[in-house]
Amino acid sequence: MIAGFKLTEDFIQFEEEVSTWEDAITKSSKPLLDKGFIEQSYVDAMIDSVKEHGPYIVIAPNIALPHARPEAGSNKVGFSILKLDKPVAFSKEDDHKAQLLIALSCVDSTTHLEILQSIVTILSDEEKNNAIFNAKKVEEILYIFS
Amino acid sequence: MLKVLAACGNGMGSSLIIKMKIEKVLRDMNLQFNVHHASVGQAKSEANNFDLILVSKPFVNDFRVNGDTKVIGLVNLLSEAEIREKVSEALGL
């Protein structure tokens, strides 16, 4: 449990590939939408944010962190994970490809900080980072994040 | 006291990640510092009040700053090595 959010298998998805980065964002955040953590308007805002500002949500090689501002339609803090076999391109540059997407629901400006901190700690750990990219099953990802 | 600003698209995600990482790097470098975070929109108007501005690389060209302010564009926000190298270069250390 991090900041009142418990990651379960329902929030983790594997997919071979998606056709566009818009699809990747939509797909990655679907568990949050289905469970009422976010509204459709929040999904749209995550996509608009990339259209407006560029591919900055690719925070590190192969990792994207789609998110929007709380007022776009977040009801509850949490995150969902999508792992792709084939990376999706957020721009024409190699630096902006992503295979791992972590959609973040920010309900206000501070509640998600603890979640963000733990995500960053896990992703910065080389061993855990490798394990995520080598994972073949939902349970493996769940184990790393809990 | 080094005044640092971390900025990103909406001031909720990457700017906070940069803040977490730059604080650790500057502590390791034994520097005195103060790190704020903001959206790029806010950050642009306040840019000249800071010594260092750290952003994800696509935002670098959004900033027009005076000679004293340095803007650093990061490719890997999780890499303390990249941050340390670019900060050292910007500060002439």
Side-chain angles (χ1 to χ4, degrees):
Chain A
M1 183 95 75
I2 318 162
F5 174 70
K6 190 175 182 337
L7 185 73
T8 60
E9 293 183 6
D10 304 344
F11 291 91
I12 304 167
Q13 305 172 89
F14 282 72
E15 198 75 41
E16 208 176 298
E17 62 181 315
V18 289
S19 44
T20 62
W21 62 262
E22 288 95 331
D23 286 347
I25 291 180
T26 304
K27 179 94 191 164
S28 69
S29 60
K30 193 164 183 299
L32 295 172
L33 180 67
D34 288 348
K35 290 174 189 301
F37 281 62
I38 55 172
E39 304 294 330
Q40 181 60 43
S41 53
Y42 190 89
V43 181
D44 298 340
M46 289 193 284
I47 292 172
D48 288 345
S49 169
V50 175
K51 285 183 178 157
E52 185 183 349
H53 299 294
Y56 77 103
I57 61 163
V58 183
I59 57 161
N62 250 337
I63 305 171
L65 194 82
H67 63 282
R69 291 197 59 85
E71 57 271 23
S74 163
N75 303 320
K76 223 164 131 183
V77 71
F79 63 98
S80 54
I81 299 171
L82 171 66
K83 200 190 141 205
L84 301 167
D85 289 340
K86 288 187 190 155
V88 62
F90 280 81
S91 83
K92 286 181 182 128
E93 286 178 47
D94 269 351
D95 288 339
H96 300 138
K97 284 188 175 148
Q99 215 181 334
L100 181 72
L101 287 100
I102 302 179
L104 187 62
S105 170
C106 308
V107 77
D108 56 40
S109 57
T110 51
T111 313
H112 66 290
L113 252 172
E114 206 183 326
I115 285 184
L116 201 57
Q117 178 81 64
S118 76
I119 291 174
V120 166
T121 305
I122 290 166
L123 296 176
S124 303
D125 181 321
E126 204 177 327
E127 212 171 297
K128 287 181 177 166
N129 191 308
N130 286 336
I132 293 169
F133 282 98
N134 291 328
K136 300 269 177 283
K137 289 188 205 139
V138 165
E139 301 85 61
E140 294 172 66
I141 302 264
L142 185 60
Y143 178 76
I144 298 164
F145 278 89
S146 43
Chain B
M1 175 75 77
L2 195 63
K3 288 172 78 186
V4 183
L5 181 63
C8 72
N10 51 35
M12 303 288 296
S14 13
S15 62
L16 289 166
I17 296 175
I18 295 172
K19 184 172 187 282
M20 290 170 196
K21 291 289 179 182
I22 185 75
E23 284 176 344
K24 176 154 192 310
V25 168
L26 294 174
R27 254 197 312 274
D28 291 348
M29 291 170 83
N30 281 318
L31 295 169
Q32 295 284 314
F33 60 87
N34 193 332
V35 183
H36 288 260
H37 76 98
S39 69
V40 167
Q42 286 173 297
K44 277 195 277 194
S45 57
E46 301 165 13
N48 287 323
N49 300 330
F50 292 87
D51 302 307
L52 281 183
I53 296 168
L54 280 90
V55 290
S56 168
K57 214 173 158 208
F59 289 126
V60 169
N61 294 330
D62 288 2
F63 289 89
R64 297 274 173 276
V65 292
N66 292 337
D68 294 343
T69 305
K70 299 270 194 321
V71 182
I72 296 175
L74 299 171
V75 175
N76 186 345
L77 273 47
L78 300 175
S79 167
E80 283 161 30
E82 181 187 339
I83 296 177
R84 189 178 178 123
E85 190 194 313
K86 290 182 173 171
V87 167
S88 300
E89 197 194 323
L91 296 176
L93 296 173

